[in-house]
Amino acid sequence: RLELSDAASASTEALTAAFGWTKAESFTQHDVAELMRVLFDALARSTEAFAPVAALYQGELASFITCEARQLRTVRSEDFQDLQLQV
């Protein structure tokens, strides 16, 4: 029972199994970014209709290296689903 309610607590076994986690892994702390990737991967496998939604949460990062002495420029592109910020 919940502390301030007469309602019983809800089971999370189906959700845990949907993520592919074992009972032991369900007690491991997971961060929000990892949860988002697991959730999006599961939704993408279950339906093609999810692709436009997933596209809203991803982007492409371009890294540039320039050599001014030789006037050369190298560009490397990579996909991302979360931003890395310097704090």
Side-chain angles (χ1 to χ4, degrees):
R1 298 238 172 252
L2 299 174
E3 186 175 341
L4 301 175
S5 172
D6 291 332
S9 59
S11 172
T12 61
E13 288 181 13
L15 179 63
T16 302
F19 289 144
W21 294 339
T22 64
K23 282 194 175 222
E25 289 174 315
S26 68
F27 290 101
T28 303
Q29 182 176 346
H30 299 277
D31 65 3
V32 172
E34 181 181 1
L35 175 64
M36 184 188 80
R37 283 190 291 277
V38 170
L39 179 62
F40 279 25
D41 287 345
L43 288 170
R45 283 192 306 271
S46 67
T47 177
E48 290 181 16
F50 183 69
V53 176
L56 295 173
Y57 294 92
Q58 64 187 17
E60 184 178 16
L61 175 69
S63 300
F64 298 90
I65 299 175
T66 303
C67 176
E68 294 180 1
R70 293 190 171 198
Q71 297 181 347
L72 296 174
R73 186 177 200 179
T74 303
V75 180
R76 187 183 75 178
S77 297
E78 56 187 298
D79 295 331
F80 68 88
Q81 289 184 324
D82 52 346
L83 295 175
Q84 300 292 323
L85 300 176
Q86 297 277 337
V87 180

